[in-house]
Amino acid sequence: MDITASSFTLRKNAKRAAEAMIRKGTAPAVDYGIKPSANRRFEIVWKTAKTAPTTDEVETELAEATAHPAAASPTASQPAPAATEPAMTDAAPQLVSEAEAAPQSAPVATEPASALTEPAPNQWPHGTRVMVRKGKSSWREATIISRLDPDHWRAEYPGGGSGLFREADIRAYDPKRDATPAEQPRRAKATAPQKASRSRYAIDPEAIAAGRLPQRAPVVTSAANPHYQKHFDRLFGLAKAGDWDGVHNYEVKGSNSYSKMVARYRQDLLAVHAASEAAP
């Protein structure tokens, strides 16, 4: 069924199209009527503030007035007042004085009626930044475009698109509460001093500065790389024997992480030797 069509072959199809437009928020109003056209098709008549009564509504009101003449003319069923007798002429001055006093209270009774006819103020004027409810508990930012009737507003989303919302589904925009993460100021995080990460295969910097060799060589715990243990043991043995030329000329082949750790251990040993030579 094409909901963009202007007329429909069946009344129920026109009604379904109108309900679909209201759900999607593309309807010009929330109230509508179905009117048969001259070509035996049915059209949707949207009941906005400026929409005049349809032909069906006028015919319905005329039929109801014809079927209930008493309701249309409340004074028709009341009996005619009885003729005043001459004997009642003595009470005429008193009746006239009461009739003159009665209109004085009439303006007080008409004041509330004039107040009821005033239109309700528009709580969300055009261009107001608001939050609209999406689903049961989700809210989304939007901007008011227009007011369709006293209880419904149309709002447009920042990224495009619009929707129809009731007063209960609209709330005022609060920058502190409703700002997106990109708009909210970032909190400064406390930057505590971090210690530099040190491999457990390297020598302690304090020991290097003191020119002191470690008690033993590092132990390789990787089950996939146990053969690198011999490199650490050989370097430690050369340094402990005082063969610093052998430590300096020791070749470390490969480019994986364990080869780099062996090379770093050799540099640490040479740094220990340099510190010990520089000590008084």
Side-chain angles (χ1 to χ4, degrees), residues 24-76:
K24 292 184 176 182
T26 58
V30 294
D31 294 331
Y32 65 92
I34 307 299
K35 181 183 74 173
S37 58
N39 58 357
R40 297 183 178 181
R41 296 175 67 86
F42 296 90
E43 299 178 354
I44 303 173
V45 179
W46 297 103
K47 298 181 180 180
T48 60
K50 299 181 180 180
T51 304
T54 61
T55 305
D56 290 349
E57 293 172 347
V58 174
E59 292 177 356
T60 302
E61 292 178 0
L62 292 176
E64 291 177 355
T66 305
H68 304 284
S73 179
T75 59

Side-chain angles (χ1 to χ4, degrees), residues 13-133:
N13 290 345
K15 182 178 180 181
R16 291 176 182 173
E19 296 294 338
M21 293 175 67
I22 293 175
R23 288 194 305 270
K24 292 184 176 182
T26 58
V30 294
D31 294 331
Y32 65 92
I34 307 299
K35 181 183 74 173
S37 58
N39 58 357
R40 297 183 178 181
R41 296 175 67 86
F42 296 90
E43 299 178 354
I44 303 173
V45 179
W46 297 103
K47 298 181 180 180
T48 60
K50 299 181 180 180
T51 304
T54 61
T55 305
D56 290 349
E57 293 172 347
V58 174
E59 292 177 356
T60 302
E61 292 178 0
L62 292 176
E64 291 177 355
T66 305
H68 304 284
S73 179
T75 59
S77 60
Q78 297 179 356
T84 306
E85 297 181 359
M88 299 298 293
T89 56
D90 295 338
Q94 182 179 0
L95 295 175
V96 171
S97 61
E98 293 178 355
E100 291 176 354
Q104 295 179 0
S105 61
V108 179
T110 57
E111 290 180 0
S114 61
L116 294 175
T117 59
E118 296 180 0
N122 186 4
Q123 184 180 0
W124 311 110
H126 173 77
T128 305
R129 192 177 184 183
V130 296
M131 297 295 290
V132 295
R133 191 195 307 271

Side-chain angles (χ1 to χ4, degrees), residues 120-207:
N122 186 4
Q123 184 180 0
W124 311 110
H126 173 77
T128 305
R129 192 177 184 183
V130 296
M131 297 295 290
V132 295
R133 191 195 307 271
K134 297 293 290 181
K136 293 183 179 180
S137 59
S138 177
W139 292 84
R140 185 175 178 183
E141 181 184 347
T143 303
I144 297 297
I145 300 176
S146 61
R147 186 185 188 185
L148 301 179
D149 56 41
D151 299 323
H152 292 82
W153 285 262
R154 183 177 296 281
E156 183 179 20
Y157 302 121
S162 62
L164 187 66
F165 302 95
R166 300 177 300 171
E167 184 177 2
D169 296 329
I170 305 175
R171 75 182 187 194
Y173 178 84
D174 186 353
K176 295 182 180 180
R177 176 192 60 194
D178 301 323
T180 58
E183 297 176 353
Q184 292 179 347
R186 295 182 178 180
R187 295 181 180 178
K189 295 183 178 179
T191 57
Q194 297 181 354
K195 295 182 179 180
S197 60
R198 184 172 60 88
S199 172
R200 57 193 178 91
Y201 297 101
I203 300 176
D204 187 3
E206 295 181 359

